[in-house]
Amino acid sequence: MSSGPEPPGRGLLDAKRVVVTAAAGTGIGSAVAKRCLIEGAQVLVSDIHERRLSETADRLESETGNRPLTEICNVTVEKDVEALVAAAIGGFGGIDVMMNNAGLGGTVDLVDMTDEQWNAVMGVTLEGTMRCTRAVLRHMIEAKIKGAIVNNASVVGWRAQRGQCHYAAAKAGVMALTRCSAIEAAEHGIRVNAVAPSIAMHPFLAKVTDDALLDELSKSEAFGRAAEPWEVANVMVFLASDLSTYMTGEVISVSSQHP
């Protein structure tokens, strides 16, 4: 079943100031950035890859007519995260929405996994999300901004999948981080939610993942296909918008597969 065309904008993020991490390339991050621009937001995109980030900004400007601000950021480095928040404040005057998309995966059985492989995935996927959430919460609380934070988790935070011990543990951690930080942020009027995609197909995923596994995962979905990155982005935008003002601490599965 085809996804159909990407829907038009509806002004869901008019005048909102949005930061999207890991937005370079053609995955969920760049799809989120595009959707935010379509929905009327001012957007700053960050990534660790300078050339790809610049190319992504060019493409987003071509596709939407609006060019996002850019900032190089390694989410495992506290000074980079502080600089990212400062860049958004300098460019926009503040941050209303933080889209935490940075993550690192890989496939290896636990018995063969090294500490370096475990720590690399945890460092980007869980600790990076924590670091960005912490920095943005500090800013929003100080500036009295009733903002929204949307984290990118994964259905493997709930489901078992061979070779994914590090990634699944990190994404389950993102879910727990989302719930606990939401409770702390609620008194300040700040919402923290997450999406948990199953499989969203894009060129980078196809490059680093076995074709047979991708085919198996896609066919196990009710629609018989992987999601388009923009289909995940739409749910993230919903969680950032005023349509979800009573939702916090929630993890929304963006999937058509059910155990």
Side-chain angles (χ1 to χ4, degrees):
M1 181 183 294
S2 170
S3 64
E6 186 172 357
R10 293 170 170 81
L12 294 180
L13 298 179
D14 276 350
K16 298 289 187 183
R17 301 162 295 183
V18 181
V19 175
V20 185
T21 64
T26 57
I28 293 173
S30 62
V32 170
K34 178 182 176 181
R35 192 74 225 173
C36 289
L37 289 167
I38 290 172
E39 295 295 348
Q42 301 177 76
V43 178
L44 185 152
V45 292
S46 80
D47 203 280
I48 196 172
H49 302 285
E50 184 172 5
R51 178 185 58 80
R52 287 175 56 205
L53 184 60
S54 177
E55 291 172 351
T56 297
D58 290 342
R59 177 171 52 79
L60 290 172
E61 182 178 24
S62 174
E63 292 174 345
T64 70
N66 294 298
R67 186 177 184 84
L69 299 182
T70 61
E71 181 74 14
I72 300 299
C73 179
N74 180 343
V75 297
T76 70
V77 178
E78 178 65 16
K79 287 185 178 179
D80 277 21
V81 173
E82 291 174 352
L84 173 63
V85 172
I89 295 171
F92 302 143
I95 301 170
D96 299 300
V97 176
M98 183 72 182
M99 299 286 200
N100 283 320
N101 182 67
L104 179 66
T107 301
V108 58
D109 285 356
L110 184 61
V111 293
D112 300 317
M113 189 180 297
T114 65
D115 283 359
E116 289 75 18
Q117 288 173 310
W118 175 273
N119 290 334
V121 171
M122 286 291 173
V124 175
T125 307
L126 177 55
E127 294 171 18
T129 301
M130 176 280 296
R131 204 169 279 114
C132 291
T133 298
R134 180 177 63 190
V136 171
L137 279 176
R138 287 170 174 168
H139 160 63
M140 289 179 174
I141 291 170
E142 181 180 357
K144 294 181 170 53
I145 295 172
K146 291 177 169 50
I149 298 171
V150 183
N151 298 324
N152 196 345
S154 168
V155 293
V156 297
W158 291 311
R159 303 173 186 167
Q161 186 174 317
R162 180 167 183 159
Q164 298 296 307
C165 284
H166 48 358
Y167 187 69
K171 289 299 190 179
V174 170
M175 293 177 179
L177 171 68
T178 298
R179 289 187 288 265
C180 294
S181 60
I183 293 300
E184 296 174 6
E187 65 184 271
H188 303 285
I190 302 167
R191 299 182 300 107
V192 187
N193 292 291
V195 294
S198 52
I199 178 172
M201 192 65 71
H202 53 87
F204 180 74
L205 179 64
K207 182 178 179 180
V208 301
T209 309
D210 180 72
D211 288 343
L213 176 60
L214 290 176
D215 186 57
E216 177 187 348
L217 293 173
S218 297
K219 287 180 177 177
S220 67
E221 296 289 323
F223 295 129
R225 65 171 178 85
E228 297 289 343
W230 61 260
E231 292 178 293
V232 179
N234 286 351
V235 181
M236 297 179 74
V237 166
F238 162 71
L239 290 173
S241 78
D242 292 341
L243 293 180
S244 59
T245 52
Y246 197 65
M247 295 177 66
T248 197
E250 296 293 341
V251 180
I252 305 300
S253 176
V254 187
S255 168
S256 65
Q257 181 189 99
H258 301 280

